[in-house]
Amino acid sequence: ASRRLRAMPDTLRRSLAWLTTTRIAVLCLICLSAILVQAGAGVHIEITFLYALTVASVLLALFHWTVGRHLNPTLSAYLQLFADVGIATVLVYSSGGPDSVFNFLYLVVIGASAFLLYRTGAVIIATVAAVLYGSMVQLLAYEILPPAPLAQATEWSTARIRFDLAITVAGFYGVAFMVSYLSEKLLAARIELELRQRALH
């Protein structure tokens, strides 16, 4: 059991390295797609925010590969996932707010948190995502935040705002509990396999 506990931080560190690489790859792919759409359509689209988010992902990667390597892996995971939720929120806001095609990125981050930190981490990240997304939608609806750069001119009624928030937040927690359940089952199966292998030896 003690060997398993010592191995878990190493496994989490490897997973964080993959998360860091995947974050940069996804943002670079989104940025490249936007550039190609601009070139193909021959129209100018404001994508400065994509450049800023890509730079932010690179800085986050540098943090992970330098300071983050000396932190507790669980703390480092939370810091990275909080940053990912923040990046997703900026991307969603800048690309249309509630109508953004990138809303699914919240679910990706919550799913990653479930595999890295299991149920507790997934619920915490889902709660942070719900607060940030809900605040953004409310601030946009009541015109406290300026309209998103790529937002469509649509009227948001109070009923539609509540419906959108209810469905989205339910999806956040649904993914958190479903994926964390699967990840905990996989962990239990891996531990049982290790115990059987030791018993066999």
Side-chain angles (χ1 to χ4, degrees):
S2 60
R3 184 186 296 179
R4 282 201 306 275
L5 290 175
R6 287 195 299 270
M8 285 178 63
D10 295 333
T11 302
L12 183 54
R13 289 186 192 278
R14 288 194 297 270
S15 299
L16 288 175
W18 278 105
L19 176 65
T20 300
T21 304
T22 303
R23 180 190 306 114
I24 296 176
V26 168
L27 284 170
C28 286
L29 183 61
I30 292 173
C31 193
L32 179 60
S33 300
I35 293 172
L36 292 176
V37 168
Q38 275 199 134
V43 295
H44 176 72
I45 303 174
E46 179 56 49
I47 58 172
T48 307
F49 65 93
L50 287 178
Y51 301 138
L53 290 178
T54 303
V55 171
S57 70
V58 173
L59 293 176
L60 190 58
L62 291 175
F63 170 82
H64 168 69
W65 289 325
T66 54
V67 179
R69 296 178 62 180
H70 304 289
L71 296 177
N72 179 283
T74 301
L75 174 61
S76 182
Y78 274 112
L79 291 176
Q80 289 208 50
L81 290 166
F82 287 150
D84 283 335
V85 174
I87 289 174
T89 302
V90 174
L91 181 58
V92 168
Y93 164 71
S94 302
S95 59
D99 296 321
S100 172
V101 297
F102 296 114
N103 285 331
F104 73 93
L105 289 178
Y106 284 114
L107 303 180
V108 174
V109 176
I110 293 169
S113 68
F115 276 108
L116 293 174
L117 301 170
Y118 303 104
R119 185 173 304 176
T120 301
V123 171
I124 291 174
I125 297 301
T127 301
V128 173
V131 170
L132 289 180
Y133 179 79
S135 300
M136 178 191 65
V137 171
Q138 293 283 356
L139 292 174
L140 282 173
Y142 293 106
E143 299 181 351
I144 298 174
L145 272 179
L150 301 180
Q152 300 176 359
T154 54
E155 280 294 327
W156 279 76
S157 64
T158 303
R160 186 183 175 188
I161 292 172
R162 291 176 179 173
F163 178 78
D164 176 82
L165 289 178
I167 294 297
T168 303
V169 171
F172 288 173
Y173 284 105
V175 169
F177 283 109
M178 181 178 65
V179 179
S180 61
Y181 174 80
L182 294 176
S183 63
E184 288 171 0
K185 285 293 184 182
L186 289 173
L187 177 63
R190 187 164 61 246
I191 292 174
E192 184 178 357
L193 179 61
E194 290 179 5
L195 291 175
R196 289 186 178 184
Q197 287 176 341
R198 292 181 186 179
L200 180 61
H201 289 313

